[in-house]
Amino acid sequence: MKSKRKKRQDDFQKVKLKVGKKKPRADNATNTTFRSKGINLSEQLKRESGPTTHRQLGINDLVSQLHHYNGNVKQSALNGLRELLVKNPTLLEQHLSRLVSEVAAVFTDKDANVRMAATRLLRFLAQCVPAERAAPFFPLLSAHLSCAMTHIETGIQEDALKVLDVMLEHYPALLASRPSVLLTNFLELISHRRSSSTGGSKKPLDTKERSWALSVNPNKAVTGQQWRLTVLFRLGRFLQAVVEERPTEDRDMCVPSEGVFGSDKEGGMTPLDLNWEELTYSRTEVKVYENSGARPTPHSTFKLRPDVEPGAAVGEGLGSAEAVQNFAATLVPLLLEVWVEASATDSTWNSSEGANLIHPDAMSIMFQVLSILQQLRKLAPHRDQQDILDAWFRSEYLDNFKQHFMKNFPYGALDAPKQKKKPDLKRMKQVPAVTGPTVEPLGLNITLCQVMVALSQRQDAGPDKDVEWLLPLRTFVRDTLANGMKLSYKQLHMLLDAVWKLALKERSRAVTEDLLAAVYIHYQQRNLTLQTRSLLLSFFSKIYQQEPGHTHIARSKVLGRWLAALPVQLCQLGHRNPALSARLILSIQAAASRGNKDLLSSLQSNACRLYDPQEGAAVLLPAQSQQRMIQLLYFLPHLPHTLLVSLSRCCTAGRISAGLAASLIRIVHLRSSLSGWSMGSQGAALQDVDYVSFLFSTLTGFSSEDLAALQDAPDDSTIPPSLLSPLSLYPTLLEQFTHHWDVVEEVCHCLETLGSQSQCFDILQNAICKYLCKLAVVPDSLAAGLLRAVSRLLELSVPPSEAVLRFLAQCCLSLLALLVTLQQEAPSETTHKREAIWSACVSALCSVPRLLRTVLQSLRVGDLCEEELPQLGQMLVLILQHSPLRSHLLVNTALLQHVIQDLTRYSHGETREQWLTDLLYCYSVTMAHASTTHRGNLGLRDMY
């Protein structure tokens, strides 16, 4: 018993603790000690290697922060992205897809500051990324824009319009490619669908049934009118983008393009429509060439793939007149309701006094309504659809337009007194500014004229019911143009469009003359810009082209005065404005081709001024205008002697190219009776004597005054005469020599086509005897051209006279001396000139009888100095080396042998050996070869 108790006490024995001793460890204590090893992550704390912002954030960090719940973080990230892209533009190419998708996603953010930063970043991206690079991502941008425009929050809707402004500014073509969704969004911004009373499937839209009604949102920070004005302004810009991006036709006079009133549209192309679904599995090869060989257009109509799936309804877009009518049937009633609401708030609208004065806000709304109506008319892509659409507008809304718009026309601005109050800065920050251009009464009235005149009916289409309401429009257009007020280019364009339609639709001579007189008064104003002057010229040219099909325009007195003044204006303008001068020439050419008597009479009176060789428009304008000026010579009734003198100087002075000079000579040739070309009942424009004198003056290349002045020219400007060069040659520049050589070829061609060649050569040599044989100083171009002409026109039945033969021998000998000199001094720079001179000399020596004998007889070797002997030897070597001259040299063997013997006798010193050896060698070879063939050329002896 005792042992068991003792044992139990041992099991539960209490441990005694002592001071200063460590507490013993309990038996059930947990061991909390542990051992660990470090893990080294080398990339964990490494910063991004790419570019960063001033906050050391890279593009990945900034993009990830756009998903943060805090608006300040997202705003800071958007600002950081803009900072990063400004400093590093290359990042934009690498991360464009991410940036576009992330920026578009915050269009509907609840924070206004975030949306504002996103709009700024989008504007920067649009400035850096062209439309072709942004096209793959534009469906995503368009989808987010639609979400923002239809958002329930009014602030997001307002900021969505700012995003739309950026896209309209930089990507109008991409926005206009699929307009159906955005047009519905515009409608939902200012209106709502009426609830249908009957359930079930949707019925086709009836144009008489109103399915939309204006909506009012009292929670907006702006009034309903201001909000609608803002939306209508963007809608007008969007419709304008849709119209401008479509392929244009010459269907309307109000197409706002560089080529106005049907003027030249260079670079226009026909759109190529391909069905890629059909071509995918076919073996047909499709070749697509860049620009089809034409100048590329800024607005290309080529599309790589269809915008909509095959079989989709075309009515979703605006590709047909029916689709435009359906959209207009919804929009136009809303526009009229907007204007009725705005006019109802204007106290002066229904009052008897000052009814035509409206408040600036109401004026802005009316202007936007009219602008949208005008853009709706232009949505029809074809001319026939345009007429259908205009007829539909007239039948559906003409009465409404006359009631709401023409009631108090023309309109003026009401000067509303401004109340002086302290500006509430807090409220100004909350209320967004209503963007839109400032509307003036003149612009409003002109737009209204253009809209209403388009709805008028042609007089021959039925009873005239439009006289009453067209009268104030016509009066306003006439007074605005005739009063001399300053008009912008766009305003003048719209007024001229109204004049065009009134003149073609009313078909009244009195109305047309009245309107054209007003336009001509405006045309006569001074200090008009080039763009404005070109617009007026294009208008008058186009209206003149309508004469054949419109009897009320034919023989218009106003058009006659305008045409008669064109040559005078061209003389006064000259080369100071080449673009405007080109416009004038086009108008003159169009009227001259129709034989307008007023124009031709004025052109005949001013022809000498226009074709003056020094200051005339024909020599100072660019080459294209020079060509048209030369073509006008074909229509001139007469070509008097004074005009022919100017034309000859134009050909020879080098102010026009050789090709244009040749064209001028051909036209004068055709107008002469000697050409054998008949021009109907019209007689010859010039006399035969004047024509021959014109050709001879052009052949010489210098006028009689210039040749007389050369006789007194200083010695340093000419080559002095010598025994080897009997004439003192005046060296012309290479460009002038080449030009004159080409002109001589054309003159010779015209002379060869005349009736009797013997008479022609007789006239030519008489002119040479009378005007050229007495000259002591002769230009080298004249001498070469004269030898060329004589060799081509020579008739063996009419031998040249002794005086002419002697002068030609002097020219030939002088040119040969010049040829040797040019070959020694500058052989590379004067190759063309030397070839032309040698060709002229050889052709003359071969074809003109006794010319070679006269040249050899004129050589006096005994009178030459020692320095001239080698030059004569080189001249003889050139003659001996030319094979066509061998038979002629054989006939003159005695003279040639005498000259060579004299050279051998008078040559002294060691320097004579080389050139003399060459000469003797050439002489022996030439004579040996010629002696074997001289029997076949015995007829040459008869020539000599």
Side-chain angles (χ1 to χ4, degrees):
M1 293 292 294
K2 185 176 180 182
S3 60
K4 290 182 179 179
R5 185 182 304 143
K6 190 173 183 180
K7 185 178 180 180
R8 189 166 48 249
Q9 288 177 355
D10 292 340
D11 293 337
F12 298 96
Q13 187 177 3
K14 182 178 180 181
V15 179
K16 295 181 179 180
L17 301 176
K18 295 182 179 181
V19 179
K21 298 294 184 178
K22 187 176 181 181
K23 184 178 179 180
R25 182 180 180 87
D27 296 336
N28 59 350
T30 302
N31 185 12
T32 58
T33 60
F34 63 89
R35 297 177 64 185
S36 64
K37 293 183 178 181
I39 301 175
N40 184 18
L41 299 178
S42 58
E43 300 293 331
Q44 184 178 15
L45 300 179
K46 187 177 180 180
R47 296 186 181 274
E48 190 171 350
S49 59
T52 59
T53 63
H54 70 283
R55 298 173 56 201
Q56 305 301 322
L57 294 177
I59 190 168
N60 294 324
D61 298 332
L62 295 172
V63 171
S64 64
Q65 287 182 1
L66 293 179
H67 300 278
H68 202 273
Y69 65 91
N70 193 330
N72 293 330
V73 175
K74 287 187 281 189
Q75 180 186 1
S76 177
L78 291 169
N79 295 333
L81 283 173
R82 187 172 183 275
E83 175 193 350
L84 191 63
L85 294 176
V86 169
K87 295 180 179 179
N88 305 276
T90 55
L91 293 177
L92 190 58
E93 296 289 335
Q94 303 172 9
H95 304 277
L96 181 59
S97 176
R98 293 177 61 195
L99 290 172
V100 171
S101 59
E102 295 295 341
V103 172
V106 295
F107 288 168
T108 55
D109 194 87
K110 62 181 180 180
D111 195 336
N113 294 326
V114 175
R115 298 194 300 270
M116 186 181 303
T119 305
R120 286 197 297 265
L121 180 57
L122 179 66
R123 185 179 299 276
F124 172 76
L125 294 177
Q127 293 172 353
C128 300
V129 181
E132 57 271 14
R133 290 275 292 117
F137 317 109
F138 204 79
L140 180 63
L141 281 173
S142 181
H144 283 285
L145 176 62
S146 298
C147 292
M149 292 177 67
T150 57
H151 203 275
I152 193 173
E153 293 290 337
T154 58
I156 295 178
Q157 294 179 2
E158 295 168 357
D159 291 336
L161 296 181
K162 299 177 182 179
V163 175
L164 181 66
D165 290 338
V166 176
M167 295 186 182
L168 284 173
E169 181 181 356
H170 298 281
Y171 306 125
L174 297 178
L175 270 180
S177 59
R178 296 178 65 94
S180 55
V181 177
L182 284 179
L183 291 177
T184 305
N185 296 338
F186 276 113
L187 293 177
E188 293 176 352
L189 286 175
I190 59 173
S191 60
H192 63 277
R193 292 181 183 269
R194 294 179 182 270
S195 59
S196 179
S197 58
T198 59
S201 61
K202 294 183 180 180
K203 297 181 179 180
L205 180 62
D206 187 4
T207 57
K208 296 294 185 181
E209 184 181 354
R210 295 284 305 279
S211 59
W212 292 75
L214 288 180
S215 59
V216 178
N217 189 350
N219 296 326
K220 288 187 178 294
V222 295
T223 62
Q225 288 187 17
Q226 292 176 336
W227 171 245
R228 293 179 192 126
L229 176 61
T230 305
V231 175
L232 292 180
F233 173 65
R234 271 51 177 237
L235 176 58
R237 290 186 60 193
F238 177 70
L239 291 177
Q240 182 180 358
V242 174
V243 172
E244 290 179 353
E245 296 302 327
R246 286 190 170 186
T248 58
E249 295 180 358
D250 187 15
R251 66 180 190 269
D252 200 353
M253 307 311 294
C254 58
V255 179
S257 60
E258 294 182 1
V260 292
F261 293 107
S263 57
D264 296 336
K265 299 179 179 66
E266 298 182 358
M269 293 163 47
T270 303
L272 178 63
D273 296 327
L274 299 176
N275 192 338
W276 295 100
E277 285 73 18
E278 296 177 1
L279 295 172
T280 302
Y281 302 103
S282 65
R283 297 183 179 180
T284 305
E285 184 178 2
V286 180
K287 295 181 179 180
V288 181
Y289 300 96
E290 182 181 5
N291 305 318
S292 300
R295 183 180 300 178
T297 56
H299 308 299
S300 176
T301 57
F302 175 77
K303 297 180 179 179
L304 183 63
R305 56 173 178 264
D307 289 336
V308 295
E309 296 296 330
V314 184
E316 292 182 0
L318 299 174
S320 63
E322 182 181 0
V324 178
Q325 288 180 16
N326 292 335
F327 175 68
T330 303
L331 180 61
V332 173
L334 293 176
L335 296 177
L336 292 176
E337 190 174 345
V338 169
W339 166 240
V340 169
E341 180 181 332
S343 61
T345 58
D346 197 345
S347 59
T348 62
W349 177 258
N350 297 315
S351 61
S352 58
E353 295 182 0
N356 64 329
L357 302 178
I358 56 179
H359 195 271
D361 293 340
M363 186 181 298
S364 299
I365 291 179
M366 186 179 185
F367 180 78
Q368 296 302 329
V369 169
L370 294 174
S371 300
I372 293 174
L373 291 175
Q374 184 63 19
Q375 297 297 335
L376 285 176
R377 284 190 57 256
K378 302 177 187 178
L379 288 176
H382 302 291
R383 174 63 183 269
D384 53 347
Q385 296 180 353
Q386 176 77 72
D387 298 336
I388 294 173
L389 191 59
D390 286 343
W392 179 81
F393 268 108
R394 177 183 174 86
S395 62
E396 293 290 333
Y397 299 109
L398 179 60
D399 294 335
N400 292 327
F401 291 169
K402 289 192 294 185
Q403 176 186 356
H404 296 296
F405 299 144
M406 295 299 299
K407 181 179 179 181
N408 298 313
F409 178 82
Y411 297 101
L414 177 65
D415 294 333
K418 297 181 179 179
Q419 298 179 357
K420 295 183 179 180
K421 291 184 178 180
K422 266 189 175 183
D424 190 354
L425 299 179
K426 184 177 180 181
R427 181 174 178 81
M428 288 175 63
K429 291 180 180 180
Q430 294 176 355
V431 177
V434 180
T435 59
T438 303
V439 179
E440 298 180 356
L442 179 61
L444 174 67
N445 293 325
I446 292 175
T447 306
L448 180 56
C449 284
Q450 194 178 28
V451 172
M452 296 303 296
V453 168
L455 302 181
S456 62
Q457 190 177 17
R458 293 175 57 176
Q459 286 187 357
D460 56 356
D464 192 6
K465 303 178 182 179
D466 303 334
V467 176
E468 183 179 355
W469 62 270
L470 277 179
L471 180 59
L473 295 174
R474 193 167 61 240
T475 304
F476 171 79
V477 171
R478 180 196 61 197
D479 295 343
T480 304
L481 289 170
N483 288 340
M485 63 178 59
K486 189 175 182 180
L487 300 173
S488 66
Y489 174 80
K490 184 178 180 180
Q491 292 172 348
L492 179 60
H493 195 291
M494 297 170 71
L495 284 173
L496 293 180
D497 178 66
V499 172
W500 173 272
K501 292 174 181 174
L502 287 171
L504 296 185
K505 289 187 175 183
E506 295 205 18
R507 294 180 176 270
S508 170
R509 178 175 291 274
V511 171
T512 302
E513 286 290 297
D514 196 20
L515 292 173
L516 291 181
V519 177
Y520 188 66
I521 291 174
H522 192 83
Y523 175 79
Q524 289 178 315
Q525 291 184 7
R526 295 186 176 182
N527 301 324
L528 293 178
T529 62
L530 170 62
Q531 194 179 25
T532 302
R533 186 75 69 182
S534 301
L535 177 65
L536 290 167
L537 282 172
S538 300
F539 169 79
F540 275 117
S541 299
K542 264 314 231 187
I543 204 74
Y544 174 71
Q545 294 175 13
Q546 301 298 320
E547 276 192 348
H550 301 82
T551 56
H552 63 288
I553 300 178
R555 296 183 300 277
S556 170
K557 295 182 180 180
V558 177
L559 288 178
R561 292 199 304 270
W562 170 71
L563 290 172
L566 290 181
V568 180
Q569 296 172 12
L570 183 59
C571 291
Q572 296 172 350
L573 184 63
H575 67 287
R576 290 191 292 272
N577 197 325
L580 187 56
S581 296
R583 288 277 186 182
L584 288 171
I585 295 172
L586 285 175
S587 302
I588 294 173
Q589 196 173 28
S593 62
R594 296 190 177 191
N596 186 276
K597 295 182 180 179
D598 297 328
L599 175 91
L600 292 178
S601 177
S602 177
L603 187 62
Q604 184 73 59
S605 303
N606 297 275
C608 292
R609 294 177 58 191
L610 291 173
Y611 295 95
D612 184 85
Q614 299 298 330
E615 298 181 355
V619 298
L620 296 177
L621 290 174
Q624 188 175 7
S625 298
Q626 288 179 350
Q627 182 179 7
R628 294 194 176 100
M629 288 291 296
I630 291 173
Q631 292 170 355
L632 286 176
L633 293 172
Y634 184 80
F635 304 104
L636 274 180
H638 304 286
L639 297 177
H641 175 73
T642 54
L643 178 59
L644 290 175
V645 172
S646 299
L647 294 179
S648 176
R649 294 294 298 126
C650 290
C651 293
T652 58
R655 306 295 293 273
I656 60 176
S657 64
L660 291 179
S663 300
L664 190 153
I665 296 171
R666 293 190 204 107
I667 291 176
V668 175
H669 175 70
L670 291 176
R671 300 301 305 277
S672 170
S673 60
L674 297 176
S675 64
W677 181 269
S678 64
M679 299 184 62
S681 59
Q682 185 178 0
L686 67 164
Q687 299 179 2
D688 297 342
V689 176
D690 295 336
Y691 173 61
V692 175
S693 176
F694 165 77
L695 290 181
F696 183 75
S697 300
T698 309
L699 178 66
T700 58
F702 289 83
S703 64
S704 57
E705 294 80 6
D706 295 337
L707 291 176
L710 283 178
Q711 308 310 309
D712 301 328
D715 296 338
D716 56 349
S717 62
T718 60
I719 301 176
S722 62
L723 293 177
L724 290 181
S725 178
L727 297 176
S728 177
L729 291 180
Y730 173 75
T732 57
L733 298 176
L734 178 61
E735 183 179 359
Q736 182 181 358
F737 185 92
T738 306
H739 175 86
H740 183 257
W741 184 259
D742 296 336
V743 171
V744 166
E745 293 289 341
E746 187 61 35
V747 171
C748 293
H749 175 72
C750 293
L751 289 173
E752 287 174 343
T753 58
L754 299 182
S756 174
Q757 190 169 355
S758 60
Q759 293 181 357
C760 179
F761 180 75
D762 192 24
I763 295 173
L764 178 61
Q765 74 169 345
N766 289 335
I768 293 175
C769 290
K770 185 176 180 180
Y771 298 104
L772 300 181
C773 288
K774 59 184 179 180
L775 297 179
V777 180
V778 178
D780 55 359
S781 59
L782 188 153
L786 193 62
L787 291 176
R788 178 63 175 167
V790 169
S791 62
R792 290 185 60 173
L793 301 174
L794 178 67
E795 180 67 27
L796 294 179
S797 61
V798 184
S801 62
E802 291 297 330
V804 172
L805 193 62
R806 190 164 47 252
F807 181 73
L808 293 178
Q810 293 175 354
C811 292
C812 185
L813 195 57
S814 301
L815 288 177
L816 289 174
L818 176 64
L819 186 64
V820 173
T821 304
L822 292 176
Q823 192 171 4
Q824 293 176 352
E825 294 179 354
S828 59
E829 293 84 356
T830 59
T831 303
H832 182 73
K833 188 174 184 178
R834 287 187 291 107
E835 290 178 354
I837 292 175
W838 176 244
S839 174
C841 293
V842 169
S843 60
L845 291 173
C846 291
S847 58
V848 180
R850 297 182 296 135
L851 180 58
L852 180 59
R853 175 176 296 181
T854 307
V855 171
L856 294 176
Q857 288 176 350
S858 63
L859 295 176
R860 298 290 183 266
V861 181
D863 298 334
L864 298 178
C865 61
E866 188 175 354
E867 291 77 9
E868 293 176 338
L869 295 178
Q871 187 177 5
L872 177 58
Q874 294 179 16
M875 293 166 55
L876 293 176
V877 168
L878 290 175
I879 295 176
L880 290 170
Q881 288 177 346
H882 197 68
S883 57
L885 289 174
R886 289 175 180 174
S887 56
H888 297 269
L889 291 172
L890 186 61
V891 176
N892 299 281
T893 304
L895 286 174
L896 182 61
Q897 187 176 4
H898 179 69
V899 172
I900 295 178
Q901 289 176 356
D902 290 343
L903 277 174
T904 307
R905 184 184 311 116
Y906 291 107
S907 297
H908 301 285
E910 299 177 356
T911 57
R912 65 179 174 85
E913 293 181 358
Q914 184 60 45
W915 64 265
L916 186 57
T917 302
D918 295 340
L919 175 60
L920 294 175
Y921 173 77
C922 291
Y923 173 75
S924 60
V925 172
T926 302
M927 291 297 102
H929 182 272
S931 61
T932 59
T933 59
H934 75 283
R935 294 183 180 180
N937 297 320
L938 295 178
L940 291 174
R941 294 184 180 272
D942 300 333
M943 292 176 53
Y944 289 90

